[in-house]
Amino acid sequence: MKVLVATEKPFAGEAVKGIRKELENAGYELSLLEAYTDKKELLSAVKEADALIVRSDIVDTGVLDAATRLKIVVRAGAGYDNIDLEACTARDIVAMNTPGQNSNAVAELAFGMMVYQARGGFNGKPGTELRGKSLGIHAYGNVGKYVAKIARGFGMEIFAFDPFVDDKIIEKDGIKALKTVEDLYSNCQYVSLHIPANNQTKASIGYKLLSMMPGNATLVNTARKEVINEQELMKVFAERDDFSYLSDIAPDCSDDIITKYPGRYFFTPKKMGAQTAEANINAGIAAASQIIAFLEEGDETFRLNS
Ligand code: 3PG
């Protein structure tokens, strides 16, 4: 069996070693396509693959049509908005993700960005602290839970809103569960986003919610840039001089923000949340072992498509 690891943003070397070991122990062959710049390279590499491991790499009908031997694709990570699940189903290809494996790394980045911003980008002038500030966790999944744990260490006042998670689970972690999304934004100086990007959530965070935030508001987005309504984000920037936006990957309107609102933003140059050796090792090896378990035993835990 041939397993292709196709990563436009490569895993740490140690993670690749771990994936190779896992696959070779099962008698499988690893083929690597790293840091590719042209989709044609992926289309050609995927031809021979029985299984595919990707990160945010786009797996669309073009890729799936080229992958005539493909039985399973695993997104080594949480968000699967890059995979056409319906197209996988139509071709009898199983799609999975590896939930939780890179969540701590993403949560740590959220705090890295918050501290950076609170200290004025380390510009030598007095900044502010996170202790005592209100933090709203928008969606209490794997990343949200790690964010809550770290926030407790910082001494923040922590709130969460997640319509898909029972309040009791949130309250058990000592976090105040809020009933509505409006409650979250109107109560929290910091809001950290952990919602997936799908048809319901895309462009769902905009003027209404952001203008409700209390003074010195900071929106932290380590989820997906697509969940923000950027036109409305610009309106909030224009109306409030106490609003900052921190995002793991620049929004499409970044040039405008950079020109007009210095000191009120931070954007990573590439999506960096899961870019730690630990997260790469966890997610990469989990992906390899899920492929083996599926191909050997038909194990469909973490299957995303029906
Ligand atoms: C995820 O959804 O798991 C994260 O956004 C990480 O994405 P990446 O693997 O492309 O860094």
Side-chain angles (χ1 to χ4, degrees):
M1 290 283 177
K2 206 172 205 173
V3 181
L4 173 68
V5 172
T7 46
E8 178 271 324
K9 187 175 59 187
F11 287 127
E14 276 173 77
V16 176
K17 269 191 212 154
I19 295 169
R20 184 184 297 282
K21 196 165 158 219
E22 189 78 16
L23 294 174
E24 290 182 352
N25 284 346
Y28 291 17
E29 190 189 331
L30 167 69
S31 130
L32 257 186
L33 176 68
E34 291 186 313
Y36 59 94
T37 48
D38 191 335
K39 191 174 173 185
K40 281 192 200 126
E41 296 174 69
L42 174 59
L43 295 180
S44 158
V46 84
K47 275 188 197 140
E48 302 290 312
D50 297 288
L52 173 64
I53 297 176
V54 292
R55 298 185 63 176
S56 291
D57 308 76
I58 306 290
V59 180
D60 56 12
T61 50
V63 174
L64 295 168
D65 284 340
T68 49
R69 283 169 49 174
L70 198 67
K71 296 154 193 68
I72 175 166
V73 53
V74 182
R75 192 281 191 245
Y80 47 87
D81 45 305
N82 53 319
I83 299 188
D84 188 333
L85 292 185
E86 271 179 35
C88 286
T89 303
R91 289 160 183 77
D92 269 334
I93 295 168
V94 169
M96 295 186 183
N97 65 348
T98 65
Q101 300 290 350
N102 59 18
S103 309
N104 181 64
V106 178
E108 285 191 14
L109 181 72
F111 283 90
M113 295 198 296
M114 279 189 251
V115 171
Y116 175 85
Q117 185 63 18
R119 296 300 182 100
F122 309 121
N123 61 1
K125 296 182 188 154
T128 54
E129 301 182 17
L130 298 185
R131 185 169 63 172
K133 307 299 187 301
S134 51
L135 169 69
I137 302 174
H138 190 166
Y140 202 67
N142 291 306
V143 183
K145 284 181 190 144
Y146 278 107
V147 166
K149 266 192 207 168
I150 300 171
R152 210 172 295 126
F154 272 99
M156 299 184 88
E157 196 187 350
I158 316 163
F159 302 85
F161 169 74
D162 192 328
F164 303 104
V165 176
D166 196 318
D167 284 359
K168 286 192 199 109
I169 292 173
I170 298 174
E171 305 272 353
K172 199 166 80 43
D173 289 347
I175 313 302
K176 185 147 183 33
L178 296 174
K179 293 278 172 250
T180 67
V181 69
E182 288 80 11
D183 284 345
L184 191 81
Y185 283 76
S186 57
N187 278 294
C188 297
Q189 182 185 341
Y190 287 87
V191 170
S192 191
L193 283 171
H194 304 291
I195 54 178
N198 56 38
N199 290 341
Q200 284 70 49
T201 62
K202 280 184 186 164
S204 65
I205 309 298
Y207 186 80
K208 181 173 162 241
L209 292 174
L210 299 177
S211 56
M212 280 178 180
M213 290 177 76
N216 297 318
T218 300
L219 178 68
V220 188
N221 185 2
T222 54
R224 290 288 182 272
K225 68 179 167 120
E226 290 80 5
V227 302
I228 305 294
N229 181 323
E230 292 195 8
Q231 223 179 334
E232 294 184 17
L233 174 75
M234 291 310 296
K235 190 170 171 211
V236 177
F237 262 108
E239 280 186 15
R240 297 183 63 157
D241 59 9
D242 66 340
F243 173 83
S244 301
Y245 181 46
L246 316 176
S247 179
D248 182 16
I249 210 163
D252 295 339
C253 61
S254 65
D255 284 353
D256 237 15
I257 296 176
I258 291 167
T259 318
K260 293 185 187 154
Y261 307 113
R264 293 170 54 192
Y265 65 86
F266 176 79
F267 307 136
T268 56
K270 246 189 188 286
K271 193 138 182 62
M272 288 297 294
Q275 206 48 329
T276 65
E278 294 89 337
N280 291 174
I281 291 168
N282 292 345
I285 295 178
S289 66
Q290 286 172 216
I291 286 171
I292 297 165
F294 170 70
L295 292 175
E296 299 300 320
E297 297 148 30
D299 185 339
E300 295 197 350
T301 316
F302 305 120
R303 182 174 180 151
L304 298 165
N305 58 334
S306 41

